[in-house]
Amino acid sequence: MSQSRGYLDDNPELESALEWAERWYHVPVLLVLLGFMLWNRVRSWQNFIVDGEVLFSGNDAWYHYRSTQYVVQNWPSTMPFDPWTNFPYGTSNGQFGTLFDQIIATVALIIGLGSPSDQTVAMTVLFAPAVFGTLVAIPTYLIGRRLGGRLGGVTAVTVMAFSTGWLLQRSLVGFSDHHVAEALFQVLGVLGVMVAVSVAARDKPIYEQFLERDIDALRDTISWSMLAGVAIALYLWVWPPGVLLLGILGVFFLLRLCLEYVHDSSPEHTAIAGAITMITTAVVSASRITVLEITATSQSLLQPGLALAVGLGCVFMAWLARFMEQREYGRYVYPATVFGILAIGAVLMAVLTPTLWEFFTRNVMRVIGFSISETASTVGEAAPLRDAGVLFNAHGFAVIVAAIGGLFLLGKQLLSDDAPAEELLVVVWALFILLATFTQQRFAYYIAAPIAVLSGMVVGRFILWFDFSADDGIEYYQVITILAVLLVIVVPLFAFGTTSPVEAGETGPGPSIQGWDESLQWMEGNTPAEGAYGSGGDATLDYYGTYEQQEDFDYQEGQYGVLSWWDYGHWITTRAERVPNANPFQQGTDTAAPFLVAQNETRANDVLDSTDEDDAKTRYVAVDWRMVETNGNDPYRGKFFAPSAFVDGVQASDFYSRMYVQSRGGGVQQVTFQQQAYYETMVTRLYRFHGSAAEPQPIVIDWENKETRQGGQYRGAPTNEEEPEGQRQGQIVRQFQSMEEARQYVERDTTSQLGGYGGAPPERVPAMEHYRLVGSSETEAFPDTSQYRHSAWTKIFERVPGATVEGTGPANTTVRTAVEMRNPATNKTFVYRQRTQTDQNGNFEMTVPYSTTGYDDWGTDEGYTNVSVRAETQYQFTAIGTNDGNRTGFTGTTEVTEGQVIGEDDSAATVELEPITIQQGDETSGESRTPMTEDAAEAGA
């Protein structure tokens, strides 16, 4: 008898307390862990209240807010079709307006006593992910307890509570996306199947009991299997693409039934549980079908069809097992036959229904096959996981412990005749989620639960080996062992991760939404309501209206679209209450991408004209600094590379190149420099130049071709070149006094190029005629940098017919015009410049997008824009010509009205260029005309 056992015999009260603690210790521990999880996820909630309004994190959260608002107003119905996005088609809400939004809407209705305010709904949506994320711990504990006892369950929750991975990030307050609800309902579905197959293994149901209607014997198997089927259906209701779980279960039942037959056990019991579970899933999923086609992104025929296929597969395998048992086939013939039938079925599908075969193989490869398309690579969450170190940073040694646990359970399945079916399910589940995580890092929020339960199983069973029981007393080595095991799992999460669990809980809406929100609020108040463009009045498109599902929405006169990159579509819908062309569903990219990278204004207009309706047009373009930034690394995280991936025949390298230089900290820093094609894209001409012409500057980008230790080639700083006088060694960006000096340097140095840095193009970029800056955010991304002279976070441009300017000047010469504009949001000015040629009679004509007067005559009441960016001057015109045989400068000015720019006034602005007259000294009579140069004329403009 141990010393502690004797001590307890002498202290019965202490023994009783210890027995109580052993029985109930998990309850207070779990409450503490759940409390920590919830606190850590919600403690930054005040960061999301900005000027009294709720701002969410990310993109999808905003559309979930919209979907939730619709359910609140139409409970329990979800939005069947939404014309407030994907202009000019509208869209069906396949992955939004699901159970996730219905749950949140129901809670908001309860809190708001049936009529919640917008603020109440927003606050409910704000806190929802934290609550869902905390609830994930409950089924995780139950799975951990099934595998490793109560200590295994507690350990699983401990690992989950202190992990800093994607599950935490996706369940922080404000990140109100369906990801965390996916994690919760998937774990519930797995738990349900575990219970169902375990009950079937205990009760051993067989086919004859159904014929005899032996309800008492079948009740538990049927009940738990149906509950499991409902749980899986709820998961698919939250996220239709969750058919991955159906594939996981299909593989599990396939392997398990084969193993049972090989181990001389009847697979019929597990097959019955599987059939009931999957058929229940099929029936419940069929009730939610919204489209009669096979697609993973909506509630379609795929979800019930695949579930039914797995269920019928279980029935077939049970029948085949009986058939072979009766004929006494060898035990390995059964799995060989099953896999042979599957192979033949796959071949037949590929031959007879190649489209269906391609659909399944493509989706399998993109989810678990380490395959990613070029367009998917532009989506952060769809990118592959960099390496296993990411998992270790998030989960510590729990990753290694879980791997050991998985191998142990797998070996047990192969070698033992009585290994529980639920253990194989956890192994298959963990393996597939691991493959999915390395294929697309978005699935990393799923991997937290398998890692937690497998590590909990290892700890729970390890402690059982030490016979930790109050009945026999407690030895010190047992306590030390328990603490050591727990410390090995928990401490690395704090000590070796990139951030501690508490630090990882810090969150906020982020600078992007705040930078965008200023411009979007401006858009809501200073552009016509949807349906009022060109006529004025109220909106004709009901913001929370109910619309029948359709392929192509018919937009009415005065309704219009706002073009931007797809990342920002939901913000435009919810914050500006305008209709974006593209959205985070990646709809509209076939319009947005070719427009943004179009190399001339005509091509860009053709892109819009090919999709716009006769009476509904794309009227505005919204761009931010990230859309023109080519450096995709922190802190820039530019997005210029993304649109080119969606345009055939175009790639990012057409627009910019990379250079690698040593940073001040001793590391390697990536630097990007641009080609002429970059500066001629629409997105660059809008954001950097505001539609104005841009001239090359005496700037040279210099590099040196270098080689890595492995023999790879790269561009680096020119550290070995002989530098010209006045230039520093290793300088990447070189500034010269004149364009002539810059060009001469490039001619001598083949590893250099003219321009390509910041707003300096290698060649001249022509002006645009139909796009003008009308508003922007006040926040500047880079207020004090030479790369961005005008760095308002987001800028709003309007597509206009433009005003015609007709004039006369010297014949056969270049006429330049310039007008100074002021943006009150940033209190900065810029100059719009354009040039054209006069004919042999001295006549010229040009179209300009900016007005100089008449702003108050045309605003939202009249159906047009309350333009914030206004002229400081008239249009100034200059030219160089001859007057009385002398080379002379000519100038002129004119006003352009707002009515002329927007097409309400068809008349042309006119200007007559007159020769410049200069008075000489004290002479008061006569005129003297001095020779002029083009540079002087440009300066005059």
Side-chain angles (χ1 to χ4, degrees):
M1 181 177 66
S2 67
Q3 293 179 349
S4 59
R5 175 72 264 171
Y7 182 75
L8 292 174
D9 288 341
D10 296 335
N11 296 270
E13 293 181 356
L14 180 60
E15 181 179 12
S16 176
L18 186 60
E19 290 176 350
W20 183 92
E22 184 182 19
R23 182 178 305 159
W24 298 105
Y25 77 92
H26 61 289
V27 175
V29 173
L30 287 173
L31 290 176
V32 170
L33 290 172
L34 291 172
F36 170 76
M37 291 178 68
L38 183 60
W39 168 81
N40 196 32
R41 284 160 167 77
V42 304
R43 60 192 179 85
S44 299
W45 71 271
Q46 290 179 314
N47 295 341
F48 292 88
I49 312 300
V50 180
D51 296 331
E53 288 196 74
V54 177
L55 299 182
F56 304 107
S57 177
N59 309 106
D60 290 348
W62 289 95
Y63 202 81
H64 276 296
Y65 170 69
R66 171 167 169 75
S67 299
T68 300
Q69 280 279 28
Y70 181 90
V71 177
V72 166
Q73 298 181 24
N74 300 271
W75 193 90
S77 300
T78 57
M79 189 183 300
F81 183 86
D82 190 3
W84 281 85
T85 189
N86 191 29
F87 181 87
Y89 307 106
T91 189
S92 299
N93 300 291
Q95 302 178 49
F96 292 76
T98 63
L99 180 62
F100 176 65
D101 305 295
Q102 290 173 306
I103 292 173
I104 299 174
T106 303
V107 173
L109 284 166
I110 294 172
I111 295 174
L113 301 178
S115 182
S117 64
D118 291 346
Q119 186 76 359
T120 297
V121 176
M123 291 297 289
T124 306
V125 174
L126 183 73
F127 282 92
V131 176
F132 277 102
T134 303
L135 292 176
V136 176
I138 296 177
T140 299
Y141 166 78
L142 295 174
I143 294 177
R145 190 181 68 176
R146 294 185 66 85
L147 298 178
R150 283 179 299 171
L151 182 59
V154 171
T155 303
V157 175
T158 302
V159 170
M160 180 168 285
F162 294 113
S163 293
T164 60
W166 277 53
L167 180 62
L168 173 62
Q169 297 167 23
R170 290 299 188 263
S171 60
L172 292 174
V173 63
F175 199 93
S176 306
D177 204 345
H178 48 73
H179 294 170
V180 65
E182 294 173 39
L184 172 61
F185 283 96
Q186 186 185 84
V187 178
L188 281 172
V190 171
L191 174 62
V193 177
M194 291 176 67
V195 175
V197 295
S198 297
V199 170
R202 182 196 67 194
D203 294 348
K204 293 181 170 45
I206 57 175
Y207 172 68
E208 283 73 16
Q209 290 176 310
F210 288 90
L211 296 178
E212 297 169 0
R213 298 184 180 181
D214 190 353
I215 302 301
D216 291 337
L218 295 172
R219 180 179 290 109
D220 287 351
T221 298
I222 294 175
S223 299
W224 285 108
S225 297
M226 292 182 67
L227 285 174
V230 170
I232 297 168
L234 292 178
Y235 168 64
L236 297 175
W237 190 354
V238 168
W239 194 53
V243 288
L244 170 63
L245 180 58
L246 299 180
I248 293 172
L249 294 175
V251 172
F252 158 69
F253 285 117
L254 172 66
L255 296 178
R256 180 62 190 183
L257 298 182
C258 287
L259 284 173
E260 287 180 344
Y261 190 92
V262 169
H263 290 157
D264 292 327
S265 297
S266 173
E268 187 170 353
H269 320 311
T270 303
I272 288 174
I276 296 173
T277 296
M278 302 313 293
I279 291 174
T280 301
T281 299
V283 171
V284 178
S285 297
S287 67
R288 300 293 306 170
I289 289 178
T290 58
V291 292
L292 294 176
E293 58 184 78
I294 296 179
T295 174
T297 56
S298 301
Q299 297 287 354
S300 68
L301 297 174
L302 178 64
Q303 290 81 9
L306 194 55
L308 183 62
V310 175
L312 294 179
C314 289
V315 173
F316 171 77
M317 289 185 69
W319 169 83
L320 182 63
R322 278 202 174 194
F323 177 82
M324 289 191 169
E325 284 175 357
Q326 292 172 357
R327 286 159 177 76
E328 298 182 352
Y329 284 101
R331 58 180 181 172
Y332 293 107
V333 175
Y334 177 77
T337 303
V338 170
F339 282 97
I341 292 173
L342 287 175
I344 294 172
V347 172
L348 290 175
M349 178 184 289
V351 173
L352 300 178
T353 57
T355 302
L356 187 61
W357 171 257
E358 191 273 336
F359 170 82
F360 281 110
T361 54
R362 172 169 46 85
N363 280 281
V364 168
M365 293 303 296
R366 64 185 290 268
V367 174
I368 62 171
F370 307 103
S371 175
I372 182 171
S373 66
E374 185 179 3
T375 55
S377 65
T378 67
V379 185
E381 66 181 32
L385 199 68
R386 295 195 309 273
D387 53 65
V390 176
L391 296 179
F392 184 81
N393 288 334
H395 308 285
F397 281 120
V399 175
I400 299 174
V401 176
I404 295 172
L407 291 173
F408 168 76
L409 293 182
L410 182 59
K412 186 177 176 183
Q413 289 290 322
L414 296 175
L415 301 176
S416 175
D417 292 338
D418 58 354
E422 63 180 355
E423 294 180 355
L424 178 62
L425 172 59
V426 171
V427 173
V428 174
W429 174 44
L431 179 60
F432 272 81
I433 295 301
L434 183 65
L435 293 175
T437 300
F438 275 98
T439 303
Q440 293 187 32
Q441 60 182 352
R442 76 181 303 277
F443 293 109
Y445 54 81
Y446 282 132
I447 199 68
I451 288 176
V453 299
L454 285 172
S455 56
M457 182 274 297
V458 172
V459 171
R461 298 195 181 189
F462 183 77
I463 297 303
L464 285 177
W465 293 340
F466 283 82
D467 193 21
F468 179 57
S469 172
D471 295 337
D472 299 325
I474 307 172
E475 299 293 350
Y476 292 114
Y477 79 90
Q478 295 174 317
V479 176
I480 293 174
T481 300
I482 295 171
L483 293 176
V485 170
L486 293 178
L487 289 176
V488 164
I489 292 179
V490 175
V491 170
L493 296 174
F494 289 88
F496 302 114
T498 54
T499 55
S500 72
V502 177
E503 291 173 333
E506 289 286 349
T507 186
S512 285
I513 178 58
Q514 296 181 68
W516 270 83
D517 197 52
E518 295 168 356
S519 59
L520 295 179
Q521 292 300 296
W522 178 91
M523 176 177 278
E524 182 183 21
N526 293 279
T527 61
E530 286 289 349
Y533 196 95
S535 61
D538 297 328
T540 59
L541 194 63
D542 189 355
Y543 189 62
Y544 285 116
T546 300
Y547 300 90
E548 293 183 1
Q549 198 169 55
Q550 52 198 288
E551 291 293 329
D552 187 356
F553 186 78
D554 183 17
Y555 289 88
Q556 302 302 307
E557 183 78 29
Q559 296 170 357
Y560 59 88
V562 178
L563 187 139
S564 187
W565 190 230
W566 63 259
D567 295 45
Y568 309 115
H570 294 340
W571 295 352
I572 293 171
T573 297
T574 56
R575 299 304 293 168
E577 296 192 8
R578 299 295 183 263
V579 186
N581 292 62
N583 56 43
F585 308 142
Q586 291 195 10
Q587 296 169 331
T589 54
D590 53 348
T591 298
F595 175 90
L596 293 172
V597 300
Q599 292 289 287
N600 58 70
E601 191 175 8
T602 301
R603 170 58 184 151
N605 290 336
D606 288 344
V607 170
L608 296 184
D609 293 340
S610 66
T611 57
D612 286 348
E613 298 179 357
D614 293 338
D615 51 0
K617 307 289 186 180
T618 298
R619 301 290 184 181
Y620 297 92
V621 180
V623 296
D624 73 345
W625 68 272
R626 283 183 171 165
M627 292 169 63
V628 298
E629 177 55 56
T630 56
N631 193 332
N633 296 331
D634 288 335
Y636 299 100
R637 299 178 64 192
K639 298 183 178 182
F640 180 86
F641 73 94
S644 61
F646 291 81
V647 180
D648 292 337
V650 174
Q651 51 190 350
S653 59
D654 296 337
F655 303 104
Y656 62 91
S657 301
R658 293 184 176 91
M659 186 186 305
Y660 298 91
V661 298
Q662 189 171 6
S663 64
R664 293 179 180 178
V668 176
Q669 178 182 354
Q670 177 181 295
V671 178
T672 58
F673 56 96
Q674 288 74 238
Q675 315 296 337
Q676 178 66 19
Y678 163 83
Y679 291 98
E680 295 187 355
T681 60
M682 286 292 290
V683 65
T684 301
R685 294 169 71 184
L686 290 172
Y687 187 87
R688 286 193 179 274
F689 308 135
H690 306 139
S692 172
E695 301 293 335
Q697 300 175 29
I699 292 176
V700 169
I701 302 297
D702 198 4
W703 68 88
E704 186 176 288
N705 293 324
K706 299 189 175 184
E707 188 174 294
T708 64
R709 294 178 181 177
Q710 292 75 29
Q713 299 292 321
Y714 72 98
R715 292 177 174 180
T719 55
N720 298 318
E721 295 182 354
E722 181 179 346
E723 302 298 335
E725 185 177 353
Q727 297 290 338
R728 288 191 294 109
Q729 184 77 26
Q731 195 169 358
I732 299 173
V733 181
R734 302 185 184 279
Q735 181 79 43
F736 293 86
Q737 295 299 316
S738 67
M739 288 299 300
E740 183 179 359
E741 290 182 15
R743 289 192 176 99
Q744 288 176 353
Y745 183 90
V746 172
E747 289 176 0
R748 293 193 304 267
D749 188 346
T750 58
T751 57
S752 65
Q753 73 167 44
L754 184 66
Y757 175 78
E763 304 171 15
R764 184 179 187 275
V765 177
M768 299 170 69
E769 299 178 342
H770 303 288
Y771 294 87
R772 61 173 179 172
L773 178 66
V774 291
S776 78
S777 58
E778 296 178 9
T779 300
E780 292 195 71
F782 302 100
D784 301 310
T785 179
S786 59
Q787 281 189 281
Y788 292 95
R789 292 182 56 206
H790 300 277
S791 64
W793 196 286
T794 309
K795 301 177 182 180
I796 308 298
F797 295 86
E798 183 181 14
R799 183 187 182 189
V800 292
T804 300
V805 178
E806 297 175 349
T808 59
N812 300 318
T813 191
T814 300
V815 175
R816 293 176 171 84
T817 188
V819 60
E820 185 179 28
M821 309 296 298
R822 178 173 294 278
N823 181 4
T826 60
N827 197 30
K828 288 184 177 181
T829 62
F830 65 91
V831 176
Y832 171 82
R833 305 178 189 275
Q834 192 184 144
R835 73 184 186 188
T836 189
Q837 290 290 120
T838 59
D839 62 19
Q840 59 185 3
N841 297 318
N843 298 318
F844 69 89
E845 181 179 300
M846 63 173 60
T847 302
V848 295
Y850 288 98
S851 59
T852 61
T853 186
Y855 299 109
D856 295 335
D857 297 334
W858 303 98
T860 53
D861 290 340
E862 291 75 32
Y864 293 101
T865 307
N866 288 331
V867 179
S868 292
V869 180
R870 301 188 175 187
E872 295 277 286
T873 65
Q874 295 176 310
Y875 274 91
Q876 313 286 324
F877 291 83
T878 61
I880 302 297
T882 57
N883 185 46
D884 294 336
N886 296 318
R887 189 171 174 78
T888 306
F890 289 75
T891 64
T893 62
T894 190
E895 298 280 8
V896 173
T897 69
E898 180 71 3
Q900 290 172 319
V901 167
I902 61 178
E904 287 288 345
D905 183 353
D906 294 333
S907 66
T910 59
V911 61
E912 183 176 353
L913 276 63
E914 300 289 345
I916 298 174
T917 301
I918 300 178
Q919 206 73 19
Q920 294 289 331
D922 294 332
E923 298 180 10
T924 57
S925 61
E927 294 182 348
S928 175
R929 298 173 176 82
T930 59
M932 291 291 292
T933 64
E934 293 188 5
D935 289 342
E938 182 74 14

